[in-house]
Structures are given as C-alpha cells and as structure tokens.
Amino acid sequence: MGQIVPDPIERYLAGLNHLSDPVLEDIARAGEQEQLPLVDAEVGALLRILATAVGATRILEIGTAIGYSGIWLAGALPAGGMLITMEMDETRARVARGNFARAGLADRASVIVGDAKLKIAKVAGPFDVIFLDGPKHLYNPLLDRLVTLLRPGGLLITDNVLWSGEVVPGFVARPEHDEADTRAIAEYNQRINAHPELMTATLPLRDGVAIAIKRGAPEMKPLLDTLARSTQALRAADFNDDASS
C-alpha cells in the first residue's frame, strides 16, 4: 500500500485520467523498466492543468530525466511557447530530446545538460511555471534563484515533498531514503511555506506535490483558495480500506 495515498485510491484516480496518450504511456513504460523516478500520469495531468490555468508561455523544469514530465508541461504551451528543462545525465538528455520529437514538441522544448546549480545562473526569466524535480539536495540551494525567476502570479511546483512519508518523524518505521535528502526536503518544506514571496499549498498526491504561487497577483487568489480547500478535503477524507460503511 502507498504511504501517502492507498493503492486502491491511486488505481481509481488512474482510471479517471484520460489526458495521457500513447507516446506518454510508452515513455512511462520505458521509465518503469529502467527504474527511473518519473512522475506518474496523475501528477503529469496536474502539471498540464496548472500550466494551462496560468496561461503559461515559458516554463522551467529542473530534472528532465527522459522527458516524461516535460511533455506533460510542454503540451500546455501555445505555439511559440518554450520549456527549458535541465538534466545532469547526457544520455538521459539525449533520450529526452528524442521523446520530445516523438510527441511533436521539439520546437517547444530546450534540454540543457549540466548541473542545474551552475546552469541556473545563466537562465533569464521570467517564467510562468517552474517545476522542481531534480536531486533533492539541490532543492534548498536553488529556491531563492527560482523565486527570482518566477513572475508574480507564477507557480513553483515541487515534487516528492512528502518523500514516502519520511519527512514526518517516526511515521515510517524503516526509512529507505537517504537521511540527508530527507532532511533537505523537510527544510525545503518549511522554507516554501514560510517564504515571504510565496503562498504555498501541498497536495498529498503520489509522493506529495507542493504548489506555490508568487505573490503580487491578486487575481490568482481564487486559484490558491481552491487548492487550499482541495488539500483540506483530501486530508479530511477517510481512505481506510478496512472501514465499514
């Protein structure tokens, strides 16, 4: 059973998701075979919906892998829009470029190879959406720069913020993740929720997705309020499989 959302609920949500396509499904299967840490289709759908909701034309992604999440994001871009995505591994970056081409998005995706901590200084904003899903030890060092690159009203979306529940002390009896990564994510969660330029809500979807909006755009408050209400509803829901009706 999943630590965050029980497996039956995840299967139910997967059955409702009709936004995927054969190319994405093929890439997901390849990623599973190679045991790559890709987002799943439900998080992918969330990325596309959020990018669409803010009318994104420029998106930055940290952690390309083989392009799966990037395709979900770039699929929300209009003609002339651009996704800039960073990947440390050259082989994965090459595969990602091929996958963007397969998805018909080669003209809307630019894959940069190298250490995001170094490359980020050369990237010019503003961006409408930033998706952070790279090495966990980079979450904190990158945060201030990412907030600077984000436009007011833009979204900073971060994956794995619940880290299989290991960010909650004592919740997981036998932690499997690197302890330093767990501490880094826990610290990052504190920072984005207390950051003076951000308003943040966390969705307990898959491994936890934090959605932060950069302050300065009052017209985006209804979206944030909706996200906050959704989070509260999910937290209050009883997903105990053994519960009797």
Side-chain angles (χ1 to χ4, degrees):
M1 178 176 290
Q3 288 283 13
I4 307 303
V5 180
D7 292 340
I9 302 299
E10 291 193 349
R11 289 194 292 270
Y12 173 76
L13 294 174
L16 295 175
N17 187 351
H18 298 290
L19 295 180
S20 190
D21 58 48
V23 172
L24 281 167
E25 291 168 1
D26 186 56
I27 296 170
R29 283 192 294 269
E32 185 175 3
Q33 291 173 358
E34 297 180 32
Q35 296 185 323
L36 296 176
L38 307 182
V39 304
D40 76 340
E42 284 62 67
V43 174
L46 177 65
L47 293 175
R48 183 165 293 180
I49 288 168
L50 291 173
T52 300
V54 299
T57 60
R58 298 192 77 226
I59 301 174
L60 174 65
E61 178 184 41
I62 309 297
T64 314
I66 56 174
Y68 183 73
S69 54
I71 291 173
W72 280 106
L73 288 163
L77 292 169
M82 180 57 63
L83 165 73
I84 297 174
T85 178
M86 298 184 180
E87 172 58 42
M88 175 72 77
D89 187 276
E90 188 170 351
T91 299
R92 290 184 184 179
R94 183 167 58 251
V95 174
R97 291 189 184 102
N99 286 334
F100 283 120
R102 290 173 58 198
L105 296 167
D107 62 332
R108 303 180 195 185
S110 174
V111 182
I112 297 175
V113 181
D115 187 341
K117 191 176 179 181
L118 301 176
K119 298 291 184 180
I120 199 72
K122 301 180 181 179
V123 174
F127 290 95
D128 305 294
V129 172
I130 297 176
F131 180 49
L132 179 56
D133 191 25
K136 309 314 167 193
H137 69 274
L138 291 182
Y139 277 24
N140 283 296
L142 290 176
L143 178 57
D144 289 338
R145 176 61 178 163
L146 295 181
V147 172
T148 299
L149 290 172
L150 193 63
R151 70 163 170 84
L155 299 177
L156 170 60
I157 307 168
T158 311
D159 195 29
N160 304 123
V161 296
L162 295 180
W163 208 223
S164 301
E166 292 184 22
V167 291
V168 181
F171 178 68
V172 179
R174 297 180 179 177
E176 298 180 358
H177 292 300
D178 180 82
E179 186 177 344
D181 285 343
T182 301
R183 288 196 303 268
I185 295 172
E187 179 184 348
Y188 177 84
N189 288 340
Q190 293 292 333
R191 290 184 65 198
I192 59 170
N193 280 277
H195 199 289
E197 295 185 68
L198 300 175
M199 294 186 289
T200 303
T202 299
L203 300 182
L205 177 66
R206 291 297 291 176
D207 203 21
V209 181
I211 304 168
I213 184 170
K214 187 171 181 178
R215 297 178 185 272
E219 67 274 13
M220 293 301 297
K221 188 175 184 300
L223 173 61
L224 187 71
D225 289 344
T226 299
L227 290 171
R229 287 194 297 270
S230 299
T231 300
Q232 291 172 354
L234 284 168
R235 287 172 175 167
D238 181 7
F239 290 149
N240 186 349
D241 296 331
D242 297 327
S244 57
S245 56

